[in-house]
């Protein structure tokens, strides 16, 4: 997440980085509130209990005085363990999921 935020800051400026940070925060809140929320997809072919959630599904709730992220490009890969969310990866939506998920 730090690398994504650093890249966003360099490429798009501080306001854009702050908007993306707000979007990440909202998406994490959203899946913590409801891990199976609309937009979340179970991906059992990756590993047992793995789900993915694209940041675009939290976009409208992340609106701030700085605006909104118009075209989010990342998704969260996670699973639930004892009512806690285990964030496995944050990946760009152009990436091949199966190459970037740990086997364990």
């Amino acid at each position: 997440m730090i690398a994504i935020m650093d890249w966003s800051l360099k490429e798009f400026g501080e306001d854009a980085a702050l908007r993306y940070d707000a979007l990440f925060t909202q998406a994490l809140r959203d899946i913590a509130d409801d891990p199976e929320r609309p937009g979340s997809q179970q991906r059992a072919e990756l590993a047992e209990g793995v789900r993915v959630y694209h940041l675009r599904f939290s976009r409208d709730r992340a609106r701030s005085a700085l605006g909104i992220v118009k075209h989010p490009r990342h998704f969260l890969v996670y699973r639930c363990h004892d009512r806690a969310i285990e964030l496995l990866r944050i990946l760009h939506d152009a990436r091949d999921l199966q190459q970037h998920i740990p086997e364990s």
Side-chain angles (χ1 to χ4, degrees):
M1 190 167 165
I2 292 169
I4 294 167
M5 298 309 300
D6 286 345
W7 184 85
S8 183
L9 179 63
K10 282 189 247 177
E11 293 296 316
F12 302 109
E14 185 176 359
D15 286 354
L18 291 171
R19 285 191 300 268
Y20 222 71
D21 183 56
L23 179 56
F24 271 126
T25 300
Q26 184 61 53
L28 290 168
R29 282 186 188 131
D30 287 345
I31 63 170
D33 288 345
D34 181 3
E36 297 179 8
R37 69 178 300 104
S40 173
Q41 297 178 339
Q42 186 172 339
R43 298 295 301 264
E45 76 277 12
L46 300 173
E48 185 177 344
V50 169
R51 301 188 70 84
V52 298
Y53 182 74
H54 200 285
L55 295 182
R56 73 177 171 266
F57 294 109
S58 293
R59 184 176 160 264
D60 291 335
R61 286 180 299 287
R63 185 179 301 271
S64 73
L66 295 173
I68 194 166
V69 177
K70 292 181 183 174
H71 303 289
R73 295 299 312 265
H74 291 87
F75 54 91
L76 307 176
V77 182
Y78 65 97
R79 63 180 157 205
C80 299
H81 282 290
D82 299 324
R83 300 177 57 194
I85 301 297
E86 178 185 14
L87 184 61
L88 301 173
R89 296 294 301 258
I90 300 170
L91 290 174
H92 193 274
D93 59 14
R95 298 281 184 145
D96 177 11
L97 272 174
Q98 291 181 320
Q99 287 185 339
H100 296 280
I101 302 300
E103 290 185 27
S104 60

